[in-house]
Amino acid sequence: MSARTPTPWPLVALFTAGYLAAYLLPTTVGRLDAGLPLSATQAGAVGSVLLLSSASAGFLLASRVDRFGPRALARAGLLLAAAGYGTAALSSALPLVIGGAIAGGFGSGTATTVAATGIAGRPDPHRVTTLGLFGVSGLAGALYLTIPHLGPGHGYPLAAIACTALLALTLTGRLPARTPAAHAPRAAAPLPHRRSGLLLAGALLFWSLAQNSLWGVSGRIGLTQAGLSEVEVGAVFAVALGAGLLGTLGAGALGPRLGRALPIGLGTALIAGCIALSAAATDLTSFASGEIAWNALYPVVLSYVLGLAASMDPRGRWAVLVGSASSLGTACGPLTGSLLSAREGYPAMGTVLAAGLLLIGVPMTLVALRTRPATRIPVVEIAVPEIPVPEIPVVGIPLEGVPAQRKAYGTAGPRPTAAAPALGPVGA
């Protein structure tokens, strides 16, 4: 039995810093709506633009991590995230807030891209993914408990994301300057499992859109429909993300024992029920029940989906592309949720999203059933040039001699010198 490989903490830190903006989306959108001259739909649009910028970074950089190197790319992304979110947090001018959110989102997406590529190259991608989800859930839960006590204003959640990027920056020195692929030229290998990968990416886009359509307006559901205070809503979110920690630990403990199809298919169906319950909540009990159960299941299913994508290509391209598709769906979520809820109301929005999730879970489950992991040990053929062997001539040496005469040789034994007299009978 081989020993467990050491935990790649720089990748976990990058994962946490990259995904934190999406986890803090409800409080970010809610405070943009309350602290700036923006309507609820406009605030949701700003959140969507932020996450859309994050998704675009993944699509642009999916195949370029080898070229730039993980360390340099991660540092550039984290610095951009810190600068962008910091500018948006410190400014009240709408152009600076929106521009800073876009720049910060691109930085977050860059960090996520490097993390996804590195995780895909690990022998245990599901374990590292669950650790990353554990980190971002725990940090987001702590921030949901802390931010309401810091006072009003849109800057606190954005500043928290910027500080997290700076903290993750201190660990980037342990990332490799170049990936092993960058040292040796090789032909670009085609993407394995192309059909399954495209199907999984498309399904996860709508899966994430449905999740974040509710997540983007969950704060407003708690405040307006359920009649809770901001402190109560923050406490519910903190407990919900704590349940997400337990779900992540459970997913990490189970690992591949249940396969991937069962957690993805059954988990998505259960999430659909939780979304319908949370969207129809009118009091603390129903709101907390839906949010807590939903957040306990969400990281479990997501960890298996991202682990499936990572296993489909050891170079990490499907991991980045599927993750970017998820970010694209996440980006469209706040605006979609705002439009649906404004037109149909929160309960009807929840019903539509739940029905969509049930349909989306079918192709995701089929991909999990049919896809086998790509081999992680590439076979390298080395052409050995044929070395010519010079022909060595055979040299004959003639020997001159005189034929031997037979009479010159005697028989073995003593040689007689004279003829012996004949012996007669004894006593003659």
Side-chain angles (χ1 to χ4, degrees):
M1 181 181 294
S2 59
R4 174 173 285 191
T5 55
T7 302
W9 292 115
L11 295 178
V12 175
L14 280 177
F15 190 100
T16 301
Y19 272 96
L20 184 60
Y23 271 69
L24 292 182
L25 192 63
T27 186
T28 302
V29 171
R31 285 180 171 246
L32 288 173
D33 178 15
L36 296 174
L38 294 172
S39 66
T41 302
Q42 290 172 335
V46 174
S48 292
V49 169
L50 185 157
L51 297 175
L52 183 61
S53 178
S54 179
S56 65
F59 286 117
L60 290 174
L61 301 173
S63 60
R64 293 177 171 85
V65 177
D66 289 352
R67 182 185 306 174
F68 297 112
R71 185 188 303 166
L73 198 58
R75 286 176 174 173
L78 293 173
L79 287 173
L80 182 60
Y85 292 126
T87 300
L90 296 174
S91 177
S92 58
L94 280 179
L96 288 178
V97 172
I98 296 173
I102 293 173
F106 195 89
S108 292
T110 302
T112 304
T113 299
V114 178
T117 303
I119 290 172
R122 302 283 302 177
D124 49 357
H126 182 262
R127 171 175 167 262
V128 183
T129 301
T130 54
L131 285 174
L133 290 170
F134 185 88
V136 70
S137 297
L139 179 58
L143 290 173
Y144 274 117
L145 289 175
T146 304
I147 289 175
H149 299 285
L150 299 178
H154 72 283
Y156 290 109
L158 295 169
I161 303 171
C163 292
T164 302
L166 291 177
L167 289 175
L169 186 65
T170 62
L171 296 177
T172 54
R174 296 168 56 184
L175 292 172
R178 286 286 184 271
T179 59
H183 293 293
R186 62 179 179 181
L191 274 171
H193 307 293
R194 185 177 295 271
R195 292 182 180 178
S196 296
L198 291 174
L199 182 59
L200 183 63
L204 191 61
L205 186 154
F206 290 102
W207 187 89
S208 297
L209 185 147
Q211 308 279 340
N212 286 277
S213 293
L214 179 65
W215 186 241
V217 298
S218 287
R220 296 205 293 273
I221 291 175
L223 293 172
T224 59
Q225 183 171 279
L228 306 178
S229 66
E230 186 183 7
V231 173
E232 290 174 325
V233 171
V236 170
F237 287 159
V239 175
L241 292 173
L245 294 179
L246 297 178
T248 303
L249 288 175
L254 285 175
R257 291 183 181 88
L258 298 178
R260 293 191 176 99
L262 180 61
I264 291 174
L266 180 59
T268 298
L270 294 175
I271 286 174
C274 295
I275 285 180
L277 174 62
S278 182
T282 56
D283 54 21
L284 176 60
T285 302
S286 56
F287 180 73
S289 298
E291 292 289 330
I292 291 171
W294 172 30
N295 281 276
L297 293 168
Y298 172 82
V300 176
V301 179
L302 183 60
S303 69
Y304 279 98
V305 174
L306 295 180
L308 172 62
S311 70
M312 291 166 63
D313 177 26
R315 292 182 60 184
R317 289 168 293 179
W318 277 128
V320 175
L321 293 173
V322 170
S324 298
S326 175
S327 298
L328 182 59
T330 301
C332 299
L335 182 58
T336 302
S338 297
L339 293 174
L340 279 175
S341 60
R343 182 171 181 175
E344 305 293 338
Y346 295 122
M349 178 199 70
T351 301
V352 171
L353 296 178
L357 275 177
L358 292 176
L359 293 176
I360 293 165
V362 175
M364 295 173 67
T365 305
L366 291 176
V367 172
L369 284 172
R370 296 179 179 178
T371 304
R372 294 183 179 180
T375 180
R376 294 186 169 273
I377 303 177
V379 178
V380 180
E381 296 182 358
I382 301 176
V384 179
E386 182 179 354
I387 301 175
V389 179
E391 183 179 355
I392 302 176
V394 179
V395 181
I397 302 176
L399 298 177
E400 296 181 359
V402 180
Q405 300 295 326
R406 185 175 182 83
K407 295 180 179 181
Y409 300 93
T411 60
R415 180 178 300 175
T417 56
L423 298 178
V426 176

